[in-house]
């Protein structure tokens, strides 16, 4: 795989990660509930923090100053752990609630969060395997 193919693939993956993080944050705004404050803090911090991190990675690529491979793997592994943990805690917080629009949005948010965590995991694996 050439360097250009690697950069193109990574940009697509990073763009998907950013899109899922923004979607999670928007859904979090519409399904925010103070029932479990620790879950709210974890989810808000994860969604907002990783929007900032991925935009920073894009800015580095645009300025032709990409981040080091080890730092990218670190951010990807932490993103995987945080997004999956947020999704699991959100599901746990809303699992036995009455079926409402807010609950449905929260469960969609949790599902997208877990999918984004898996995407971060694949990003970490693919970044590690690249030479």
């Amino acid at each position: 795989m050439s360097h250009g193919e690697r950069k193109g693939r990574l940009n697509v993956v990073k763009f998907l990660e950013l899109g899922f993080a923004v979607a999670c944050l928007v859904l979090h705004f519409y399904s925010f509930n103070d029932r479990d404050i620790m879950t709210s803090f974890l989810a808000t911090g994860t969604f907002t923090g990783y929007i900032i991190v991925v935009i920073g990675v894009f800015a580095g690529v645009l300025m032709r100053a990409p981040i080091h491979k080890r730092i990218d793997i670190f951010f990807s592994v932490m993103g995987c752990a945080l997004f999956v943990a947020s999704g699991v805690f959100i599901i746990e917080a809303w699992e036995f609630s009455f079926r409402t629009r807010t609950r449905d949005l929260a469960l969609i948010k949790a599902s997208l969060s877990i999918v984004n965590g898996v995407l971060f995991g694949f990003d970490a694996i693919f970044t590690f395997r690249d030479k």
Side-chain angles (χ1 to χ4, degrees), residues 35-53:
R35 226 176 322 158
D36 186 8
I37 196 72
M38 292 306 293
T39 300
S40 297
F41 281 154
L42 177 65
T44 304
T46 299
F47 302 153
T48 306
Y50 269 88
I51 288 172
I52 294 168
V53 166

Side-chain angles (χ1 to χ4, degrees), residues 16-126:
L16 286 173
E17 292 169 354
L18 179 63
F20 280 131
V22 169
C24 286
L25 185 64
V26 169
L27 288 170
H28 188 58
F29 176 76
Y30 288 110
S31 65
F32 189 79
N33 191 348
D34 290 328
R35 226 176 322 158
D36 186 8
I37 196 72
M38 292 306 293
T39 300
S40 297
F41 281 154
L42 177 65
T44 304
T46 299
F47 302 153
T48 306
Y50 269 88
I51 288 172
I52 294 168
V53 166
V54 176
I55 288 175
V57 170
F58 275 134
V61 169
L62 289 175
M63 292 186 291
R64 296 184 185 184
I67 62 174
H68 193 271
K69 181 178 169 180
R70 289 181 186 161
I71 295 172
D72 192 15
I73 291 171
F74 172 75
F75 281 140
S76 295
V77 169
M78 290 303 296
C80 176
L82 288 171
F83 273 97
V84 169
S86 294
V88 169
F89 286 145
I90 292 167
I91 289 173
E92 186 179 333
W94 287 91
E95 185 176 18
F96 298 112
S97 299
F98 290 113
R99 189 175 175 106
T100 61
R101 180 177 182 272
T102 305
R103 177 184 179 260
D104 291 343
L105 289 175
L107 293 178
I108 292 169
K109 169 182 62 177
S111 301
L112 283 178
S113 180
I114 292 171
V115 168
N116 203 15
V118 170
L119 192 60
F120 270 104
F122 283 133
D123 186 18
I125 291 169
F126 291 141

